[in-house]
Amino acid sequence: ESKIALINFINSFLETKEKIIDVVVINNEPAVDSELEKSSRMDVNARTANGDHINIEVQLKNVDDMANRAVFYASKMLTNQSSKGISYANLNKATSINIYNFTFFKEERLADVYDTCFSYGDIEHQLELSEIVKIHIIELTKLHKILEKAEGNIDSLTDKEAWTIFLAYAASEDY
């Protein structure tokens, strides 16, 4: 039963034409190559039916350089796929959905933006190099625009907006 909810949740954030139809939750501690390598623990580590990797992280407090942590986890999903002789064309996408119960981007121009998505690209020319890695940062503290929209008609919310509101209230100690 929770598998259906997980698929709906992931699809709402990926916003792609090709919807995920199946997902398998896998070991949440990706392998390390040596004792010197930093290990990681992912909150939800899943693989889609077509082999793409999804990591869902929930953080209640801003600790331990969250930007680099998000990049590290997404990169780990990509590098854990490699093995001798594999063609880079056969690498599966790695998507990290980071849900933060704090304001991460404090810039005024992002005051109403609760979902930011990053990939590899050229900043100056706004050119995407590859879609193989996507990193979403969801800030639960920036939901005021969605809540205003929901007051009039909750049916007007997208699945992503509804999930984000649900997560914000689930993270609240008041509810």
Side-chain angles (χ1 to χ4, degrees):
E1 292 174 35
S2 62
K3 185 176 185 177
I4 294 168
L6 179 60
I7 290 170
N8 181 279
F9 173 82
I10 293 170
N11 279 331
S12 75
F13 281 93
L14 296 184
E15 296 179 327
T16 60
K17 290 179 184 175
E18 292 182 31
K19 297 296 182 190
I20 293 170
I21 56 170
D22 192 21
V23 67
V24 176
V25 177
I26 54 178
N27 181 3
N28 70 345
E29 291 189 47
V32 292
D33 293 331
S34 73
E35 290 180 26
L36 301 175
E37 188 176 344
K38 183 169 178 61
S39 66
S40 59
R41 171 173 278 142
M42 299 176 178
D43 291 348
V44 175
N45 188 13
R47 189 167 299 135
T48 65
N50 69 350
D52 289 347
H53 296 256
I54 309 285
N55 170 40
I56 302 169
E57 286 292 316
V58 179
Q59 290 291 325
L60 300 178
K61 295 181 179 170
N62 189 358
V63 295
D64 196 24
D65 198 357
M66 299 307 296
N68 285 342
R69 179 186 282 196
V71 171
F72 178 81
Y73 283 0
S75 300
K76 197 79 166 159
M77 287 187 293
L78 197 59
T79 59
N80 280 345
Q81 296 178 54
S82 68
S83 62
K84 237 179 190 174
I86 190 171
S87 167
Y88 293 117
N90 293 331
L91 288 173
N92 294 94
K93 291 181 179 179
T95 301
S96 183
I97 302 171
N98 299 274
I99 302 162
Y100 297 160
N101 197 27
F102 52 87
T103 300
F104 187 70
F105 296 108
K106 298 180 180 9
E107 293 88 342
E108 182 62 34
R109 65 188 170 93
L110 297 174
D112 295 333
V113 178
Y114 72 94
D115 179 14
T116 47
C117 183
F118 301 89
S119 64
Y120 296 124
D122 180 304
I123 296 167
E124 181 180 348
H125 301 102
Q126 298 179 354
L127 178 66
E128 188 167 60
L129 175 64
S130 173
E131 290 187 354
I132 197 154
V133 173
K134 296 278 187 187
I135 300 172
H136 287 266
I137 307 287
I138 311 300
E139 297 173 271
L140 299 179
T141 57
K142 295 183 176 180
L143 300 182
H144 47 279
K145 287 282 189 194
I146 298 173
L147 292 172
E148 287 173 13
K149 179 180 173 182
E151 273 188 38
N153 181 6
I154 197 155
D155 293 330
S156 68
L157 296 176
T158 65
D159 285 348
K160 179 170 68 171
E161 292 169 336
W163 271 110
T164 304
I165 289 172
F166 170 78
L167 292 170
Y169 283 102
S172 173
E173 294 177 3
D174 298 334
Y175 295 94

